[in-house]
Amino acid sequence: METKGYTQDGTVDLRGRPVLASKTGKWKACAFLVGYEAFERMAFYGIASNLVNYLTAQLHEDTVSSVRNVNNWSGSVWITPIIGAYIADTYLGRFWTFTVSSLIYVVGMILLTTTVSMKSLRPTCTDGICNKASTLQIVFFYTSLYTIAIGAGGTKPNISTFGADQFDDFNPQEKELKVSFFNWWMFSSFLGALVATLALVYIQENLGWGLGYGIPTVGLLFSLFVFYLGTPIYRHKVKKTKSPARDLIQVPITAFRNRKLQLPNHPSQLHEHEPQQYINSGKRQVHYTPIFRCNGACKVMYIATNIVGPVVSNSVSL
């Protein structure tokens, strides 16, 4: 594979075909992802930084209720990525999970911008006396917020890992570039948050909430358009298991079952193949560490008549 110029880590294109290392991945692919991250962070913090103020000043909620509602929404934004990561690893893969989730995210941003822009979706004030928000206004507003939370659940855990997939760990030069990618990734993330906190909050309070939410919405749409332009040069990891959750649970169960077995004298005997075979096949060899010594029991093949129950020999030792 290496002599033909293909990647050595087994990555493929969107149709499942091996990809050429020279024409795919690396920074020419990750530039699209870094740009998206900046606009996504700008959109999220543009909402979160000033949401309490909007709830109290525009929807006329009391301070306690508004803070509670903001905390509930923020918690949802940070919990849903667990579900998004599971869906990506088990069913759809990172690219398609991100694709569906990002569209949901954009729909939520459009709904939110519409909500804060239309007078009919906000409470009215007469002679200094403001009415409470109607049920329809509350439902529409929080529907848009939680639509964003659902979309964030699929984008947050997959966009950065998808970026890491663009670098071949078996290529020393690309492995170094991956470190640089995460540096720029964090820079773009904090840059988006900084712009939102300084600029968007000012625009929302002085030039209008519709404009303050509309700017990141347009930016998010543009970044998604640019992201999909890079589709032909993206690398995709091949799913190697049908159920990551099952494999994860299987490790401690098997380790406990085999806890009394004697470990080999040399850690190399815990691997399924000889070291040279890992090099030739391009498979990743996870090295044994004494910190999680109990997991070594998962690797022991022990065939004896006095042991009851199967022994798993292909689990990962840490």
Side-chain angles (χ1 to χ4, degrees):
M1 296 289 286
E2 185 177 2
T3 57
K4 295 181 180 180
Y6 293 102
T7 55
Q8 302 174 53
D9 60 354
T11 48
V12 297
D13 63 9
L14 202 56
R15 297 182 179 180
R17 301 172 299 187
V19 292
L20 292 172
S22 60
K23 295 184 178 180
T24 59
K26 300 187 288 295
W27 266 110
K28 59 176 170 284
C30 288
F32 301 113
L33 310 182
V34 171
Y36 171 85
E37 177 66 9
F39 280 105
E40 191 278 329
R41 292 290 82 190
M42 186 171 66
F44 173 75
Y45 284 104
I47 300 170
S49 300
N50 214 20
L51 187 54
V52 171
N53 188 24
Y54 181 85
L55 294 178
T56 54
Q58 301 297 321
L59 292 187
H60 310 302
E61 293 185 0
D62 59 84
T63 304
V64 175
S65 298
S66 62
V67 171
R68 181 179 63 248
N69 290 332
V70 171
N71 287 337
N72 291 339
W73 176 73
S74 298
S76 300
V77 170
W78 294 107
I79 288 178
T80 50
I82 299 175
I83 302 174
Y86 179 79
I87 293 174
D89 291 341
T90 307
Y91 299 107
L92 300 181
R94 292 175 185 136
F95 178 83
W96 288 114
T97 302
F98 172 81
T99 295
V100 174
S101 301
S102 61
L103 294 177
I104 296 174
Y105 199 126
V106 169
V107 169
M109 288 296 299
I110 293 174
L111 290 176
L112 185 63
T113 304
T114 303
T115 302
V116 301
S117 300
M118 296 180 61
K119 292 183 178 180
S120 59
L121 295 176
R122 290 178 294 167
T124 57
C125 296
T126 305
D127 297 329
I129 300 176
C130 296
N131 300 318
K132 290 185 177 181
S134 65
T135 302
L136 176 62
Q137 292 168 341
I138 294 175
V139 169
F140 201 94
F141 180 79
Y142 282 104
T143 297
S144 61
L145 274 185
Y146 281 93
T147 300
I148 293 173
I150 294 173
T155 58
K156 283 181 181 296
N158 291 302
I159 187 66
S160 58
T161 51
F162 185 67
D165 291 344
Q166 308 309 309
F167 300 94
D168 189 348
D169 282 338
F170 294 95
N171 185 313
Q173 294 180 345
E174 291 193 21
K175 193 173 183 179
E176 292 182 3
L177 290 175
K178 180 187 286 190
V179 178
S180 176
F181 161 72
F182 281 109
N183 289 336
W184 283 102
W185 176 266
M186 293 304 299
F187 174 79
S188 66
S189 178
F190 286 114
L191 179 63
L194 180 65
V195 172
T197 305
L198 296 181
L200 290 183
V201 171
Y202 175 84
I203 293 174
Q204 290 165 3
E205 295 187 355
N206 294 276
L207 301 179
W209 292 92
L211 181 61
Y213 286 154
I215 291 175
T217 300
V218 173
L220 201 61
L221 282 168
F222 175 75
S223 64
L224 277 178
F225 173 75
V226 174
F227 171 81
Y228 292 121
L229 287 179
T231 301
I233 62 175
Y234 291 145
R235 299 175 183 176
H236 305 267
K237 291 284 188 181
V238 178
K239 291 192 298 181
K240 298 181 179 180
T241 178
K242 294 183 178 180
S243 178
R246 182 193 62 186
D247 294 345
L248 184 64
I249 296 173
Q250 193 177 36
V251 171
I253 292 177
T254 307
F256 179 79
R257 180 184 298 167
N258 301 340
R259 65 190 182 280
K260 295 182 180 180
L261 298 183
Q262 183 66 36
L263 293 178
N265 295 326
H266 196 277
S268 62
Q269 297 177 357
L270 291 171
H271 294 96
E272 296 175 280
H273 309 294
E274 295 296 328
Q276 188 60 39
Q277 187 171 349
Y278 283 99
I279 297 175
N280 295 337
S281 62
K283 292 183 178 180
R284 188 186 304 275
Q285 183 180 17
V286 181
H287 297 287
Y288 173 79
T289 58
I291 298 177
F292 297 101
R293 184 178 179 276
C294 62
N295 284 350
C298 293
K299 298 293 292 182
V300 178
M301 289 194 65
Y302 187 84
I303 303 176
T305 57
N306 61 341
I307 293 183
V308 179
V311 176
V312 178
S313 63
N314 61 348
S315 300
V316 175
S317 65
L318 300 177

